Amino acid sequence: MIPKVFREVIDLGDGREISIETGKLAKQAHGSVVVQSGKCMLLCTVVSNYQQSDVDFLPLTVDYREKFAASGRYPGGFFKREARPSDGEVLTMRLVDRVLRPLFPKDYHAETQVMVQLMSHDDDVMPDAMAGLAASAAIQLSDIPFETPISEARVGRVNGQFIINPTRAQLLESDIDMMIGASADSVMMVEGEMDEISEEEMVEAIKFAHDAIKIQCAAQVKLAEAFGKKETREYTAEREDEELAKKVSALTYDKVYAVARAASAKHERSAAFDAIKEEVKATFTEEELADYGGMVSKYFYKAEKKAVRDLTLNEGLRLDGRKTTDIRPIWCEVDYLPSTHGSSIFSRGETQALATVTLGTSREANQIDMPSFEGEERFYLHYNFPPFSTGEARPLRGTSRREVGHGNLAQRALKGMVPVDCPYTVRVVSEVLESNGSSSMATVCAGTMALMDAGVQIKKPVSGIAMGLISDAETGKYAVLSDILGDEDHLGDMDFKVTGTADGITACQMDIKVKGLSYEILVNALKQAQAGRLHILGKLTETIAAPNADVKAHAPKMITRVIPNEFIGALIGPGGKVIQELQKATKTTIVINEDPITEEGIVEILGTGQEGIDAVLAKIDSLMFKPVVGNSYKVKVIKMLDFGAVVEYMDAPGNETLLHVSELAWERTENVSDVVNMGDVFEVKYFGVDPKTRKEKVSRKALLDKPEGYVARPPRENNDRGGRDNRGRDNRGRDNRRDDRRPRENRKDD
């Protein structure tokens, strides 16, 4: 018997719907829902242990996976099972995690796992836009402590009209692709890419998405009420001691304030804070520290946070001595690495990124193979964050989710500036060598310069800046911080990164940690970010003003040629023999793709030497060479035969034809060598395909004057040798032949 199902439907306003249902699947999970739009179905479950973990943070895991069966496909490769998550899945996990995590109680430390799975795919529905809704709805149906329902929505804009959760086809026409996460009251997360839009347009898009999210949050509340809202579980909360908090604050606040005001460097400042913390601990006995040493550390952090924030709100000063709008000192350099195709260094304060560019053919494109999307990227960026960049020693465990996310943000910032007709596959790699605040924005700046150094003709240079916010709800004071430090990121109320050209925003990533942030403050922050971006952009263009006119001498040059479909096979040759020998002889890389619409061949020729590229182009021209009837062409004798000479067109090496002995000269020619010899160069006239021989006909004599008194030999008549009708029939017709085969008694003449 199918169990009772509870269901709520969300109207997207344009004929599309999203449904949330529970009660049928995964009932042993603490909360489970199926979210559906069209044929797209997501199953989300949440489970949280009832025992608190022995850690001082929330061990939350958000996992998003797409099952290949959902789109009727097999996983690629030899191992036919879904394994490690793709970058696309990791990015969706991060989007959901960033909105959920702040809404759990600060002292809730139970192991919690949210799992979202794509179970059925619809080509017209992008599932990542519904993952946040599914996660929040599952939590609402559980007894897990959670502040308020949230949801996420993607917003696009086509022909000036905003669209909620656009299809992938609509996104191709959209100038905005933003994901917004919010509760009914507050926007909490923004991430996306844009086509050089203004700050006001970005805020309009956020508002539009927030209106849709409010409806989705209300649907979750209704579903939970219909299902039967569970009582929130009880858990062992962290110990609190107001007297201890006051004592720690009294011992540390002024000292921390003084260190913060001293404008010291990162490691010097950290050492000073640690020394103050040790002084505080020294005022307690070993027994007291054993009993509540963890609380001392917690209250010290609170005092530190308040002192640093008060310094900024009261005096407008920051940890490194800057004012709120100041940008740290910047220096840049290009062409630092001699062997790369392009390179640059971007240093801003204590953050440094070294970027490289590598140019290749379509064969080097990044292949994307997900159940919800198949395709390739001809421009992609990888971001590496080694432990030494923060002065740490820790093991490397592969690419982290953070590295995937920061690299994706920088890629989205730059990709719109790479021309569509760029012939290369372009890979940018950012190595973060120092980090104290926004290495992802340093990556954008370094990537821009490396692309220009490599000779990639980007439309405009792009810069990026990380902004922060410190606010006080009681007094109404707030301060927007330009180019934040790592400490300001941790201690602040908002971290948002904005990238763009001189004409508009190309990408953003925003995490808002306070409730009810006004749109007025958001617009002011974006305007201040614009001023910072333009300042940084000026530093970049001082170093390299425009892309280099050409790629470096040691970098590969790329030439693209389009050839008719019928010539592809000739260029490849039997078993690839022709193309392989050509690549070896010319020291080039040749890639042939077929245009899916025109079915023409797109030939990519990559090589460091122009001579090799020219040789390949000459070979292609030779294969495609078609002489025109009536035109004359210079040829060279490459082979002597008894009945003529094989000649090669000088304009198309390798393209040859037979010059028959009868077309050598007007006089009768007994021996071919009497007229021409190997290596002779002369002109011939092209007559097209001879209808009798069905072979191409060229003539040397047609371009020569006829000898004086020359008399053309009359053409042969059909009956010179009896004609086809008389041949073999003079003595015996077909009837007689039949009579010969009959028995004598049956013959007609008997």
Side-chain angles (χ1 to χ4, degrees):
M1 178 179 175
I2 298 177
K4 183 178 180 180
V5 174
F6 298 86
R7 193 167 184 264
E8 282 294 325
V9 176
I10 301 165
D11 186 359
L12 295 180
D14 57 0
R16 295 176 298 151
E17 295 179 341
I18 300 176
S19 68
I20 319 171
E21 70 171 40
T22 189
K24 184 181 291 187
L25 302 181
K27 295 194 295 297
Q28 293 193 45
H30 296 163
S32 69
V33 295
V34 172
V35 174
Q36 181 172 358
S37 180
K39 295 184 291 185
C40 177
M41 298 176 68
L42 294 175
L43 168 65
C44 180
T45 59
V46 59
V47 174
S48 186
N49 291 342
Y50 285 94
Q51 295 80 32
Q52 290 275 68
S53 299
D54 188 22
V55 294
D56 61 353
F57 60 91
L58 172 64
L60 170 67
T61 301
V62 176
D63 197 84
Y64 171 81
R65 301 298 177 100
E66 296 187 355
K67 305 298 184 180
F68 276 85
S71 58
R73 295 175 51 215
Y74 287 90
F78 294 101
F79 188 58
K80 299 303 180 186
R81 184 185 183 100
E82 290 87 354
R84 64 181 295 275
S86 66
D87 284 359
E89 290 168 318
V90 167
L91 293 171
T92 302
M93 296 176 197
R94 282 174 52 84
L95 288 174
V96 177
D97 185 296
R98 284 159 50 198
V99 185
L100 294 183
R101 192 174 292 272
L103 297 177
F104 289 91
K106 299 298 182 185
D107 58 355
Y108 186 69
H109 300 156
E111 184 85 29
T112 304
Q113 186 178 53
V114 177
M115 296 188 67
V116 187
Q117 304 177 61
L118 175 66
M119 308 304 289
S120 177
H121 175 57
D122 187 330
D123 288 336
D124 292 329
V125 179
M126 298 183 70
D128 59 343
M130 302 190 299
L133 168 63
S136 177
I139 295 173
Q140 295 307 305
L141 297 172
S142 73
D143 62 348
I144 300 170
F146 194 73
E147 185 175 325
T148 184
I150 62 93
S151 190
E152 293 178 346
R154 173 178 274 111
V155 59
R157 186 174 67 175
V158 178
N159 298 325
Q161 298 296 316
F162 289 120
I163 304 171
I164 288 294
N165 293 355
T167 65
R168 200 175 295 277
Q170 288 174 321
L171 273 185
L172 294 176
E173 303 175 14
S174 175
D175 62 351
I176 295 176
D177 177 7
M178 290 173 57
M179 192 79 82
I180 290 86
S183 65
D185 300 323
S186 302
V187 174
M188 304 167 67
M189 185 276 299
V190 178
E191 181 160 331
E193 60 186 86
M194 309 87 181
D195 186 10
E196 297 183 277
I197 68 171
S198 68
E199 286 73 15
E200 291 81 5
E201 289 174 307
M202 178 176 165
V203 172
E204 286 180 20
I206 294 172
K207 288 180 178 179
F208 182 78
H210 194 194
D211 289 341
I213 287 172
K214 293 175 183 178
I215 298 172
Q216 297 178 15
C217 291
Q220 295 176 54
V221 173
K222 289 179 64 177
L223 179 66
E225 290 173 349
F227 180 72
K229 181 65 176 175
K230 298 178 182 177
E231 290 292 327
T232 302
R233 69 175 64 173
E234 295 183 359
Y235 63 94
T236 304
E238 292 179 349
R239 281 198 302 166
E240 297 292 343
D241 189 325
E242 290 187 14
E243 292 300 320
L244 180 62
K246 291 178 181 178
K247 179 180 178 180
V248 172
S249 178
L251 290 170
T252 61
Y253 179 87
D254 290 340
K255 294 179 180 179
V256 169
Y257 195 98
V259 171
R261 201 175 188 280
S264 52
K266 174 183 176 181
H267 292 295
E268 180 185 346
R269 184 171 60 248
S270 297
F273 285 154
D274 289 342
I276 296 171
K277 184 176 179 181
E278 291 304 316
E279 289 177 12
V280 174
K281 286 185 175 182
T283 63
F284 296 91
T285 66
E286 291 185 6
E287 290 76 12
E288 288 174 327
L289 289 175
D291 184 26
Y292 48 76
M295 296 172 66
V296 172
S297 296
K298 180 175 71 173
Y299 293 141
F300 173 79
Y301 172 75
K302 287 185 176 180
E304 178 188 10
K305 180 176 180 179
K306 179 171 173 51
V308 172
R309 291 166 65 90
D310 285 351
L311 174 67
T312 302
L313 290 175
N314 297 335
E315 301 187 43
L317 295 177
R318 300 162 66 177
L319 289 169
D320 57 357
R322 285 182 292 149
K323 295 180 180 179
T324 57
T325 58
D326 289 346
I327 310 297
R328 288 173 287 176
I330 295 171
W331 67 266
C332 310
E333 184 178 338
V334 295
D335 198 20
Y336 177 72
L337 300 174
S339 296
T340 61
H341 299 163
S343 65
S344 72
I345 303 171
F346 177 83
S347 283
R348 183 194 58 233
E350 296 171 301
T351 297
Q352 184 180 79
L354 170 65
T356 60
V357 169
T358 308
L359 307 176
T361 67
S362 59
R363 191 179 294 163
E364 282 71 51
N366 184 36
Q367 300 298 322
I368 301 174
D369 184 21
M370 296 175 62
S372 61
F373 178 68
E374 292 180 87
E376 65 178 26
E377 293 174 328
R378 294 290 297 270
F379 171 80
Y380 51 98
L381 186 150
H382 292 149
Y383 165 101
N384 297 317
F385 191 83
F388 67 76
S389 65
T390 54
E392 298 175 277
R394 52 180 169 78
L396 298 176
R397 304 294 188 192
T399 306
S400 68
R401 291 186 179 187
R402 180 182 179 279
E403 288 174 306
V404 172
H406 279 35
N408 179 69
L409 174 61
Q411 177 175 324
R412 299 178 88 175
L414 294 171
K415 73 176 186 180
M417 293 301 108
V418 178
V420 177
D421 60 354
C422 176
Y424 295 99
T425 290
V426 181
R427 181 186 185 227
V428 179
V429 178
S430 173
E431 304 289 347
V432 178
L433 306 182
E434 296 181 52
S435 180
N436 183 17
S438 193
S439 53
S440 62
M441 296 299 94
T443 292
V444 171
C445 298
T448 290
M449 292 188 295
L451 287 167
M452 292 196 287
D453 180 52
V456 177
Q457 302 302 306
I458 61 173
K459 302 172 188 175
K460 302 171 189 175
V462 180
S463 64
I465 190 170
M467 306 292 292
L469 175 72
I470 292 177
S471 61
D472 187 334
E474 294 182 4
T475 63
K477 290 183 179 180
Y478 75 90
V480 177
L481 310 180
S482 297
D483 180 24
I484 58 173
L485 302 170
D487 289 340
E488 291 172 332
D489 183 1
H490 297 307
L491 301 174
D493 298 326
M494 178 168 65
D495 168 27
F496 70 101
K497 305 174 180 71
V498 187
T499 73
T501 67
D503 298 319
I505 299 171
T506 60
C508 74
Q509 184 182 91
M510 186 181 305
D511 290 298
I512 303 169
K513 307 169 189 176
V514 291
K515 300 177 187 176
L517 179 70
S518 71
Y519 285 106
E520 178 186 354
I521 294 177
L522 183 57
V523 171
N524 290 340
L526 287 169
K527 287 294 185 183
Q528 187 170 320
Q530 181 189 38
R533 277 196 297 108
L534 295 178
H535 169 78
I536 297 170
L537 191 62
K539 296 294 184 181
L540 305 186
T541 52
E542 284 177 13
T543 305
I544 179 168
N548 290 331
D550 201 358
V551 299
K552 298 182 185 300
H554 62 272
K557 286 75 177 173
M558 170 77 83
I559 298 292
T560 302
R561 287 288 296 271
V562 177
I563 64 174
N565 181 277
E566 62 264 27
F567 294 106
I568 295 177
L571 180 56
I572 295 173
K577 181 179 179 181
V578 173
I579 195 170
Q580 289 173 10
E581 290 181 350
L582 188 59
Q583 289 181 112
K584 185 177 180 180
T586 60
K587 296 181 180 180
T588 60
T589 298
I590 306 171
V591 178
I592 305 175
N593 297 308
E594 188 174 291
D595 189 297
I597 300 175
T598 64
E599 296 186 351
E600 291 179 309
I602 302 173
V603 184
E604 299 173 5
I605 310 161
L606 192 79
T608 56
Q610 190 61 44
E611 290 183 3
I613 294 174
D614 290 342
V616 176
L617 291 173
K619 179 65 175 179
I620 293 173
D621 290 338
S622 172
L623 291 172
M624 295 176 58
F625 177 75
K626 288 185 177 180
V628 178
V629 174
N631 284 3
S632 299
Y633 299 94
K634 188 174 287 187
V635 296
K636 179 181 180 180
V637 178
I638 60 172
K639 192 174 184 180
M640 302 287 287
L641 302 172
D642 292 340
F643 49 86
V646 178
V647 294
E648 179 183 62
Y649 291 98
M650 298 293 288
D651 292 338
N655 201 318
E656 56 192 46
T657 187
L658 174 66
L659 174 59
H660 194 266
V661 64
S662 62
E663 298 297 332
L664 286 171
W666 291 106
E667 298 86 353
R668 180 178 179 84
T669 304
E670 296 293 343
N671 298 309
V672 175
S673 58
D674 293 341
V675 181
V676 297
N677 291 293
M678 282 288 292
D680 285 356
V681 176
F682 48 85
E683 288 193 348
V684 296
K685 186 174 182 179
Y686 181 71
F687 285 95
V689 177
D690 190 320
K692 292 183 178 180
T693 63
R694 297 183 182 178
K695 294 181 180 179
E696 290 185 327
K697 179 182 177 180
V698 294
S699 175
R700 175 177 176 270
K701 72 179 185 181
L703 299 177
L704 302 175
D705 293 332
K706 293 181 181 180
E708 188 176 346
Y710 174 80
V711 178
R713 194 166 51 177
R716 294 174 179 174
E717 296 182 6
N718 289 337
N719 59 358
D720 283 351
R721 291 190 294 173
R724 182 174 298 275
D725 292 339
N726 296 328
R727 205 166 30 194
R729 295 187 182 180
D730 294 338
N731 301 320
R732 186 173 60 183
R734 184 172 297 274
D735 291 339
N736 292 336
R737 286 203 303 272
R738 290 196 187 101
D739 286 343
D740 287 342
R741 297 190 186 100
R742 294 176 183 175
R744 183 177 295 272
E745 59 274 12
N746 293 331
R747 292 182 186 174
K748 293 180 180 180
D749 55 354
D750 288 349

